[in-house]
Amino acid sequence: MQDKLFREFLEQSGQFTEKAVTSRIAKANAAERIIGYSLDTVVADDNKMFDALVLLRPHENPKHNPMQNAVRKYYIFKNGKEFPQLRYYKR
């Protein structure tokens, strides 16, 4: 994962406080440890992205999903668009 560039992307969006940016980066790094490979690999392939989000489900509070949210932000950072909700994703 490109931590420094991702941090800059989040900061420049103007949506997050410094604490929120740091939290999203920490959650993205935690997600990488669970998934077992770099988020750069995950977000480069939509099927891998889907599988990663499903894999993270049992590791999170279903009301908040902070790791999934961080991974989704990284997807936007790398691809310039949002990944669809899992229920709408078609392989």
Side-chain angles (χ1 to χ4, degrees):
M1 182 174 86
Q2 299 174 347
D3 291 33
K4 185 178 178 182
L5 293 175
F6 185 42
R7 175 178 293 280
E8 290 172 9
F9 168 78
L10 293 172
E11 289 171 346
Q12 290 174 1
S13 76
Q15 296 178 306
F16 308 106
T17 64
E18 185 62 32
K19 183 178 176 182
V21 168
T22 300
S23 177
R24 277 168 180 74
I25 291 171
K27 295 299 181 185
N29 282 315
E32 278 187 326
R33 288 190 293 277
I34 291 169
I35 296 164
Y37 44 93
S38 171
L39 288 186
D40 291 306
T41 302
V42 171
V43 302
D45 178 286
D46 284 355
N47 288 330
K48 285 183 183 177
M49 178 70 174
F50 176 86
D51 293 342
L53 293 173
V54 170
L55 179 65
L56 291 172
R57 274 186 175 172
H59 299 276
E60 301 201 275
N61 176 335
K63 292 183 181 177
H64 299 291
N65 302 322
M67 286 187 288
Q68 287 184 44
N69 290 340
V71 172
R72 286 177 173 280
K73 291 291 182 199
Y74 198 76
Y75 184 92
I76 294 168
F77 161 62
K78 294 297 282 190
N79 296 303
K81 63 179 181 176
E82 289 187 20
F83 189 77
Q85 291 181 8
L86 295 180
R87 65 182 168 201
Y88 298 122
Y89 180 72
K90 303 289 185 211
R91 287 188 180 247

